[in-house]
Every structure is written in structure tokens, then in C-alpha cells.
């Protein structure tokens, strides 16, 4: 087998052949691509963008002669490759490849390789991993160059950097029949709804609704940040609009949806929509939000850079996109980057939690021995067939949380992909992935775009929709639960979060499907090919986030301090020796005063953060004798997750003349869990 008849990807040797008439051409835009073909005297048809500055086209005459003429004119042109015998499969190559040198390889040896092969370093990814680009002087295409490099004794792997054309695992709109968010709370049977088909969110919210200290990222197309459900103090903590140019990834802040961007806003609403008395509620309404808009046509190197940036700013990322049935293993370079981020990335340095959609193609996530033919709909709605090995890119990574779908009837979502790689499932809708016929079950109600242009919403003229679904909805549901887990216990690692999801998932699902499945869905030793470890249960997961039993803390401070009229604040302090993490907190205040509308009262935590309990309200009322709770004063939730040990204080100031009073006493009441042991 010659070095152009295969390439390495994911550590496997993949046979390839050149497509008969299809090529890729590098150009800044479609007009530049057309101008290049006219200048070279080449006839190209069906020029379509498949990546940043990369276009796919069909050659209308002799392919190799056309490629030669384009290259003579200075254009970067590549063949398109496919799996032998699979005409619908495609591999789009770039002019770069990943190479990892074995431990102990000297810098001098690596530099000599770069000089000898006449390749240039695009990016040093660490761990002896380089992304390198072939040049005109190299004299070989990137596949052949990588394959030759892979034979060296000092090279661990060399794999081409492929352009990934990703699918949005989105729901096909159905009739708008439902307005309630049954996926969060389904206490009783209704039409097409079985009690317990939900994730028991209200029970989880009794413990935590999420903390602004935990940032959930949704990486997708556009996000309507003017939506009422995305408002709130410190709700949106960043904006990343990722794009690629000349092999580099850049970021702007323009994440608003453009025409055709229909997917990001609904996904974000499922995960983090704010509790505000209107619209919808997300699984983790108290968590902060990092929207990341990107073109779903990045190569692996660009994806690696984007994930590294997300890791610097977020704790959890939700990815509702991926591959249909294909032999598309992760490049080893991107694989290694993801593995490292899961272990040491994230804002807390304890790992980035990566939630990934299993897909809507009713096929395995990974089956390297597959010989069955799977029909699927491509990005244009055309029915395709694939019967080769299946390895579906990021969803098959062993460290990510791969999510399948269950219905409001507690059955399998008919389109949901399946396999050993499924971690858990989450409630979503039900439809046939080939005919797009709606099947029994309810859709998911969430946020929607309005006025963003053609093809940018699910329900016209509305900022909400009841038509969302797919594993696109199941994935941010799980991401939201991960945010709740970390809000309860921010000391957990990403791998511990995944373990908690698996250990607390519900298995009382019906082994039923409205479409045929090639593997049984029964739970064997706690695992199902359809549902993974079961349906995510937010309440159980949040409770399990702190395995140690809770203890109660309560201490009264007899302050007995005069509150002077229009003077400096008075302070009363409490030293707390007990350590632990606050899971609930209440503050009791006993003040005698003839005009409490003059008073401002704050509680101050050991880390210096302050929460205002009373701020010059109830002007014509005397005295304050009450206990402030999180439900009454949500600002107290900002103290949840903090250490209780240290100096606490209450500060009182009288802001106006004439009336005086006394701080008689105050109480600190808390539920405290032991600080978790470091992971082994």
C-alpha cells in the first residue's frame, strides 16, 4: 500500500482512495474561488464552503489536469479522499498534520526533522506535539509527508489535520402542543407524559439552583443575548465568536445570531435560562453563561485551540453537534488535548466537563467491526447510506460525557444514537430521523430567536418554542446538571462529576423504541446500549456531590451595641473555628430601632464578600426581628459553596438623623458539609 492509499487517524491506519471529480480549493471567499478557477482556465461546479477559507468543488473536466493548472496559478488545491467502496464518505484534508515525538527526543533532532522535510511549525501544542504545515519545498502532500514521518523510530504518531463538517443534532419542528417544561418536572401522568420522565430539577433546586461561580459554556451557532431569560447580574461572563484565518483561531465578541443560526439560543436556554418570573427556566438558572459562536466547519487544530480557550473561561461545556455515521476518529493531537483538558483544564484547574451529543442518526457512536448499512440524513436532508467502520469523532472520546435521548414516555428517542460510549441519557422529544415524522412524545420548551433572519428560529414570531429536542436538547440538560453538581461542590474534578452522573442515573426506563435498533437496550450490569447508565437525575446527583453527611451550625452573638444616629457603622464579629463548605445559610437579626427605614445591615463572610440584608426599607416600622433565608433573599446564595471557617461580621449603619437604636443580637445558621478529600 503506497503512502497515498492510507492515512493514520486516532492511532488507526485508514485505507483511502481519491474521489473521482471532487477537490478542495483554498480561497478567502466564493468570489475569490471563482476568480481563481477562471484565471487557471478550469471549469468547476457546485462550489461550496466547507471550512474557513476552504471550498469544495466538482471538476467538470479532467481532474488531475485541472488540479495541475490551479497549482501552477499558485492556488492550494487538494484531492478529496473517501473510504474505498463508500462513495458518500469524504475526508477533507488541510496542508497541516499533527506529529508527536517520543519522550526523550531532543530539540535538535526535532529541528533537524523540520529542516529536512521543509515543513513549518504552525503550533506547539505541548507534550512534544506539533502542528506542522507542508510547504511548496516539501514536495509532497500532507498525507504522504505524515505517513513517511510516522515510520520514524522517534515519532509516536503523525496524523493529518482533517476538516470536520459537523451536523447540528437539532430537532425537526413539530406541532406546538406543549408549553410546560416537563423535562424538568413531571410529577404525574398526562397525555404522552409518564410521571418521572423528568430529571427532578425542583428537588435539586431545594439544594442549589446553581452558582455564578460556576460557568457553563454552550458552543454552537448564534446566541440572542438580548433574550429576557439570559439577563441577570453577572449572568453572561464573556462572549467568544471564534473564526479561523491563515491557520490561526481568533475571537471577537459578536455572538448574536445571523440568518440560519437557529440552534444556540434554544440550547443555552435549556442549560441556563434565568429564573425571572417570565419565560422558561434552565436546569442551572443560577450558573453563569459563556456563549461561544463558531462555524461548524473547523479542522481539528482549530477545534483544539477553541477548546483550550473555553477551558480558560468555563467549568462545563455543552456540545450539541458532531458526526453522522462515518469512520471519523479523532486525530491523536486533538484527542490528547481533550484528555488533558478533562484532567487539568477548566477555570478551577480540576478539569473541563465536556458534554457531547450522541447524535440523531440511530446508529452506534463507535463500532470498528461494523458491516451493517445505516441510512442517515445529511446536512441537506438527503438520505445517505454507510456500511463501514464507525468512529464518530469527539462523541467517542472516553473522557467526555456522551448523551443520548429518552422521551416523555420514558422510552428511547427514536433517532437517538447508541453504543458503549453513552454515559447517560436525558429527556427530549421523539421523531423518525429518516422520515422526520413526529412520534408519540412531547417536545422541549426553551428559549428561541426572534427576528434574526431566515432559518433562525423554531417558532416564528416568538422568543420561546415548544418544538426543541434531539440529543441537542438532551446535552445541555446534562450540562446544566453538571453545573448544579459543581455549584454544590466546586472541589470535584471533571471525572468525578462524570462518575456522579453515572452512579445516580435512573434505570426505570421502558426498553421500547419507535424505530428498530440493532442492539438491545436492556440494562446489563447497570448499563444499557440505549441509555448508558440511565436517565440523569439532578436531585440525586446534587445530593451525591457531597458524600459526607451534612452538619448544622448555629451560633448566637449577643452584640448589645448602640446604633448611633447618622454616624459611622458598628461592627459585631464572630469567629468560626469549624471548617466546611456552606450548603445553606440563614442570618438572624434582632435590632431595636424607632425608624428602621434609616438602617442598612450587611453580613460579611470571612473572604470579605458582603450581602445586604436590609437597605432602608419599611420606613415606618419599628425594630427588626427576623431570619433571612435564601428563598427570601436570593443574594445569600452567593455565600453557598464558601468555607464557613473564619471571621464573620454584621455591619449596621444609621443613614439619617433623629432615630437611634441597638443591635441586640444576631445568629449565623448554616448547613455545612466537610471539605472533600482530594481525588486519588
Amino acid at each position: 500500500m503506497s503512502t497515498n492509499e492510507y492515512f493514520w487517524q486516532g492511532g488507526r491506519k485508514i485505507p483511502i482512495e481519491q474521489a473521482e471529480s471532487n477537490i478542495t480549493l483554498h480561497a478567502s471567499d466564493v468570489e475569490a474561488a471563482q476568480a481563481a478557477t477562471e484565471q487557471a482556465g478550469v471549469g468547476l461546479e457546485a462550489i461550496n464552503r466547507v471550512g474557513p477559507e476552504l471550498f469544495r468543488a466538482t471538476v467538470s473536466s479532467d481532474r488531475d489536469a485541472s488540479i495541475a493548472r490551479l497549482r501552477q496559478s499558485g492556488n492550494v488545491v487538494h484531492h478529496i479522499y473517501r473510504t474505498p467502496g463508500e462513495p458518500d464518505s469524504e475526508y477533507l484534508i488541510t496542508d497541516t498534520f499533527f506529529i508527536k515525538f517520543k519522550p526523550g527526543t531532543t530539540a535538535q533532532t526535532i529541528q533537524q526533522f523540520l529542516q529536512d522535510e521543509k515543513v513549518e511549525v504552525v503550533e506547539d501544542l505541548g507534550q512534544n506535539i506539533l502542528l506542522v504545515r507542508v510547504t511548496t519545498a516539501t514536495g509532497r502532500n500532507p498525507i504522504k509527508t505524515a505517513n513517511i514521518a510516522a515510520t520514524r523510530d522517534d515519532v509516536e504518531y503523525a496524523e493529518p489535520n482533517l476538516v470536520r463538517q459537523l451536523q447540528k443534532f437539532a430537532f425537526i419542528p413539530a406541532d406546538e402542543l406543549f408549553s410546560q417544561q416537563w423535562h424538568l418536572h413531571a410529577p404525574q401522568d398526562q397525555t404522552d407524559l409518564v410521571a418521572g420522565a423528568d430529571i427532578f430539577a425542583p428537588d435539586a433546586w431545594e439544594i442549589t439552583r446553581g452558582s455564578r461561580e460556576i460557568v457553563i459554556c454552550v458552543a454552537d451557532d448564534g446566541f440572542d443575548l438580548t433574550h429576557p431569560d439570559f439577563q441577570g447580574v453577572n449572568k453572561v461572563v464573556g462572549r467568544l465568536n471564534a473564526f479561523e484565518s491563515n491557520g490561526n483561531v481568533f475571537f471577537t465578541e459578536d455572538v448574536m445570531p445571523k440568518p440560519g443560526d437557529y440552534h444556540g439560543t434554544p440550547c443555552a436556554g435549556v442549560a441556563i435560562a434565568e429564573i425571572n418570573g417570565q419565560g422558561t427556566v434552565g436546569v442551572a438558572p443560577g450558573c453563569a453563561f459563556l456563549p461561544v459562536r463558531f462555524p461548524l466547519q473547523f479542522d481539528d487544530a482549530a477545534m483544539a485551540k477553541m477548546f483550550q480557550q473555553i477551558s480558560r473561561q468555563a467549568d462545563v461545556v455543552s456540545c450539541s453537534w458532531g458526526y453522522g455515521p462515518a469512520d471519523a476518529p479523532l486525530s491523536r493531537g486533538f484527542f490528547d488535548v481533550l484528555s488533558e483538558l478533562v484532567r487539568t483544564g477548566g477555570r478551577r484547574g480540576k478539569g473541563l466537563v465536556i458534554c457531547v451529543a450522541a447524535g440523531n442518526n440511530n446508529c452506534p457512536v463507535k463500532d470498528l467491526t461494523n458491516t451493517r448499512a445505516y441510512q442517515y440524513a445529511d446536512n441537506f436532508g438527503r438520505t445517505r447510506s454507510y456500511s463501514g467502520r464507525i468512529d464518530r469523532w469527539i462523541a467517542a472520546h472516553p473522557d467526555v460525557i456522551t448523551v443520548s435521548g429518552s422521551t416523555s414516555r420514558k422510552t428511547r428517542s427514536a433517532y437517538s444514537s447508541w453504543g458503549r460510549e453513552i454515559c447517560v441519557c436525558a429527556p427530549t422529544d421523539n421523531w423518525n430521523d429518516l422520515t422526520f415524522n413526529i412520534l408519540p412524545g412531547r417536545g422541549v420548551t426553551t428559549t428561541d430567536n426572534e427576528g434574526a433572519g431566515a432559518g433562525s428560529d423554531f417558532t416564528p414570531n416568538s422568543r420561546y418554542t415548544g418544538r426543541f429536542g434531539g440529543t441537542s436538547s438532551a446535552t445541555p440538560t446534562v450540562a446544566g446538571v453538571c453545573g448544579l453538581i459543581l455549584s454544590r461542590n466546586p472541589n470535584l474534578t471533571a471525572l468525578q462529576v462524570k462518575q456522579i452522573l453515572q452512579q445516580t442515573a435512573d434505570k426505570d426506563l421502558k426498553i421500547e423504541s419507535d424505530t428498530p435498533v440493532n442492539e438491545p437496550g436492556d440494562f446489563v450490569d447497570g448499563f444499557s446500549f440505549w441509555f448508558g447508565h440511565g436517565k440523569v437525575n439532578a436531585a440525586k446527583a446534587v445530593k451525591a456531590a457531597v458524600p459526607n453527611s451534612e452538619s448544622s451550625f448555629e451560633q448566637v452573638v449577643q452584640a448589645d451595641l448602640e446604633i448611633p444616629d447618622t454616624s459611622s457603622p458598628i461592627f459585631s464579629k464572630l469567629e468560626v473555628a469549624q471548617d466546611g463548605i456552606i450548603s445553606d445559610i440563614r442570618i438572624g437579626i434582632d435590632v431595636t430601632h424607632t425608624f428602621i427605614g434609616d438602617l442598612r445591615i450587611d453580613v460579611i463572610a470571612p473572604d470579605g464578600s458582603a450581602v445586604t440584608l436590609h437597605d432602608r426599607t419599611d420606613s415606618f416600622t419599628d425594630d427588626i426581628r427576623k431570619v433571612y433565608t435564601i428563598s427570601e433573599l436570593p443574594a445569600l446564595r452567593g455565600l453557598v459553596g464558601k468555607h464557613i471557617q473564619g471571621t464573620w461580621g454584621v455591619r449596621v449603619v444609621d443613614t439619617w438623623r433623629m432615630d437611634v437604636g441597638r443591635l441586640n443580637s444576631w445568629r449565623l445558621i448554616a448547613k455545612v458539609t466537610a471539605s472533600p478529600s482530594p481525588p486519588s
Side-chain angles (χ1 to χ4, degrees):
M1 184 180 288
S2 77
T3 52
N4 259 356
E5 294 176 344
Y6 69 91
F7 62 75
W8 292 90
Q9 197 80 176
R12 292 193 288 107
K13 193 175 188 178
I14 297 179
I16 55 174
E17 63 183 11
Q18 295 175 351
E20 287 85 355
S21 57
N22 297 324
I23 64 169
T24 57
L25 170 67
H26 287 253
S28 58
D29 51 41
V30 67
E31 290 78 14
Q34 291 170 337
T37 61
E38 292 172 2
Q39 181 181 358
V42 172
L44 295 184
E45 301 172 352
I47 302 176
N48 295 303
R49 185 186 294 274
V50 292
E53 302 178 356
L54 186 67
F55 292 84
R56 179 190 187 280
T58 301
V59 179
S60 56
S61 56
D62 183 88
R63 180 198 62 188
D64 291 338
S66 298
I67 289 176
R69 287 199 295 271
L70 284 165
R71 286 176 175 168
Q72 288 170 2
S73 299
N75 297 288
V76 178
V77 187
H78 292 299
H79 293 89
I80 290 179
Y81 295 88
R82 67 186 184 190
T83 301
E86 296 289 344
D88 286 336
S89 66
E90 283 190 345
Y91 298 108
L92 307 181
I93 67 172
T94 67
D95 55 357
T96 59
F97 64 92
F98 296 97
I99 183 168
K100 181 174 184 178
F101 291 89
K102 292 179 180 178
T105 305
T106 66
Q108 183 179 1
T109 298
I110 295 174
Q111 188 61 37
Q112 190 62 50
F113 163 80
L114 299 173
Q115 292 177 2
D116 291 345
E117 295 298 322
K118 298 179 177 59
V119 295
E120 59 185 23
V121 176
V122 177
E123 190 85 10
D124 186 340
L125 298 172
Q127 307 176 74
N128 274 0
I129 307 169
L130 300 176
L131 178 69
V132 299
R133 176 183 288 117
V134 297
T135 65
T136 304
T138 305
R140 294 187 299 268
N141 69 27
I143 288 181
K144 192 169 186 177
T145 306
N147 287 344
I148 292 173
T151 65
R152 291 173 57 104
D153 292 337
D154 54 2
V155 170
E156 185 172 326
Y157 59 77
E159 299 182 348
N161 178 32
L162 303 179
V163 174
R164 309 290 186 166
Q165 297 189 84
L166 309 182
Q167 292 182 336
K168 297 178 183 179
F169 293 141
F171 162 69
I172 306 302
D175 294 338
E176 187 177 12
L177 301 174
F178 313 108
S179 60
Q180 296 181 349
Q181 293 182 282
W182 62 268
H183 64 291
L184 300 178
H185 185 50
Q188 59 188 8
D189 292 349
Q190 297 179 25
T191 303
D192 277 336
L193 178 62
V194 174
D198 59 315
I199 66 168
F200 301 94
D203 294 330
W205 293 338
E206 287 295 317
I207 302 171
T208 179
R209 297 177 190 171
S211 167
R212 289 290 200 263
E213 296 298 316
I214 300 301
V215 178
I216 298 176
C217 168
V218 179
D220 213 284
D221 54 26
F223 302 87
D224 180 8
L225 296 188
T226 70
H227 199 289
D229 281 357
F230 298 159
Q231 308 308 307
V233 177
N234 298 325
K235 183 66 173 182
V236 178
V237 293
R239 298 168 176 82
L240 296 177
N241 177 44
F243 65 97
E244 187 178 7
S245 179
N246 295 323
N248 293 312
V249 177
F250 300 94
F251 298 91
T252 67
E253 291 190 349
D254 182 16
V255 300
M256 291 294 288
K258 307 298 186 292
D261 288 356
Y262 64 91
H263 202 242
T265 297
C267 287
V270 170
I272 53 81
E274 192 82 340
I275 293 176
N276 56 12
Q278 61 179 314
T280 60
V281 178
V283 176
C287 287
F289 175 37
L290 175 68
V292 174
R293 182 178 184 270
F294 78 106
L296 275 77
Q297 297 167 330
F298 267 6
D299 59 45
D300 278 13
M303 293 296 293
K305 295 174 188 175
M306 184 180 77
F307 270 84
Q308 287 172 331
Q309 183 61 39
I310 289 171
S311 179
R312 298 181 187 104
Q313 297 181 239
D315 302 282
V316 181
V317 59
S318 179
C319 309
S320 292
W321 32 260
Y323 256 91
D327 192 13
L330 281 165
S331 59
R332 291 281 292 277
F334 188 24
F335 183 100
D336 286 351
V337 168
L338 290 175
S339 299
E340 185 67 16
L341 290 179
V342 169
R343 284 162 177 79
T344 65
R347 293 171 61 253
R348 299 162 298 114
K350 296 179 179 292
L352 177 67
V353 179
I354 303 174
C355 300
V356 178
N360 302 340
N361 305 113
N362 191 10
C363 72
V365 173
K366 186 174 183 178
D367 185 356
L368 301 184
T369 62
N370 176 63
T371 58
R372 296 165 174 154
Y374 287 94
Q375 289 188 312
Y376 67 99
D378 66 11
N379 287 336
F380 303 99
R382 298 171 299 197
T383 299
R384 303 281 192 174
S385 180
Y386 181 82
S387 58
R389 290 185 297 190
I390 296 177
D391 191 347
R392 296 174 60 192
W393 198 51
I394 189 173
H397 194 290
D399 294 333
V400 306
I401 296 169
T402 303
V403 183
S404 64
S406 59
T407 73
S408 59
R409 300 180 301 128
K410 298 179 76 171
T411 63
R412 171 183 172 270
S413 294
Y415 50 75
S416 182
S417 295
W418 43 269
R420 297 185 185 278
E421 294 70 30
I422 303 299
C423 175
V424 290
C425 69
T428 183
D429 63 347
N430 196 27
W431 42 273
N432 187 300
D433 60 299
L434 294 178
T435 66
F436 304 135
N437 290 334
I438 305 304
L439 299 171
R442 295 192 175 191
V444 172
T445 299
T446 181
T447 50
D448 198 10
N449 295 324
E450 183 182 12
S456 63
D457 57 13
F458 282 88
T459 302
N461 304 314
S462 174
R463 304 193 85 165
Y464 301 96
T465 182
R467 301 177 174 183
F468 198 51
T471 52
S472 284
S473 181
T475 303
T477 298
V478 172
V481 175
C482 294
L484 295 179
I485 292 171
L486 289 174
S487 296
R488 178 88 191 283
N489 187 351
N491 295 298
L492 293 170
T493 67
L495 292 176
Q496 287 173 327
V497 171
K498 181 178 180 180
Q499 185 179 38
I500 287 171
L501 288 176
Q502 295 175 166
Q503 292 174 342
T504 59
D506 292 332
K507 296 175 173 58
D508 60 338
L509 296 159
K510 299 177 183 178
I511 311 303
E512 299 175 10
S513 174
D514 291 302
T515 54
V517 192
N518 284 333
E519 290 287 348
D522 305 83
F523 283 90
V524 178
D525 296 328
F527 183 82
S528 163
F529 274 82
W530 298 0
F531 305 119
H533 293 270
K535 177 173 60 65
V536 65
N537 184 312
K540 291 181 181 178
V542 168
K543 291 175 183 176
V546 183
N548 306 299
S549 59
E550 281 185 331
S551 61
S552 296
F553 177 91
E554 181 172 356
Q555 191 162 337
V556 179
V557 178
Q558 298 295 339
D560 197 25
L561 294 173
E562 297 288 342
I563 304 172
D565 200 18
T566 60
S567 186
S568 300
I570 62 168
F571 294 88
S572 176
K573 295 182 180 181
L574 169 64
E575 294 292 337
V576 177
Q578 176 182 335
D579 197 12
I581 305 298
I582 298 170
S583 58
D584 188 24
I585 188 168
R586 303 179 183 192
I587 305 294
I589 296 291
D590 182 351
V591 167
T592 300
H593 200 276
T594 55
F595 197 83
I596 66 173
D598 290 353
L599 300 181
R600 176 182 171 122
I601 305 175
D602 303 301
V603 61
I604 304 169
D607 66 354
S609 56
V611 175
T612 300
L613 304 176
H614 177 88
D615 191 9
R616 295 163 291 189
T617 57
D618 301 321
S619 298
F620 299 99
T621 304
D622 295 343
D623 305 335
I624 300 175
R625 291 183 179 89
K626 68 181 297 183
V627 176
Y628 296 88
T629 67
I630 289 176
S631 59
E632 178 188 0
L633 187 63
L636 282 172
R637 191 174 297 279
L639 302 179
V640 172
K642 296 182 181 293
H643 286 267
I644 194 171
Q645 187 180 61
T647 303
W648 288 79
V650 164
R651 176 176 59 207
V652 184
V653 61
D654 188 324
T655 63
W656 197 249
R657 62 183 181 274
M658 294 180 61
D659 294 272
V660 295
R662 176 183 296 273
L663 171 61
N664 300 311
S665 64
W666 62 280
R667 287 188 294 164
L668 174 61
I669 310 163
K671 290 182 179 179
V672 180
T673 56
S675 299
S677 302
S680 56

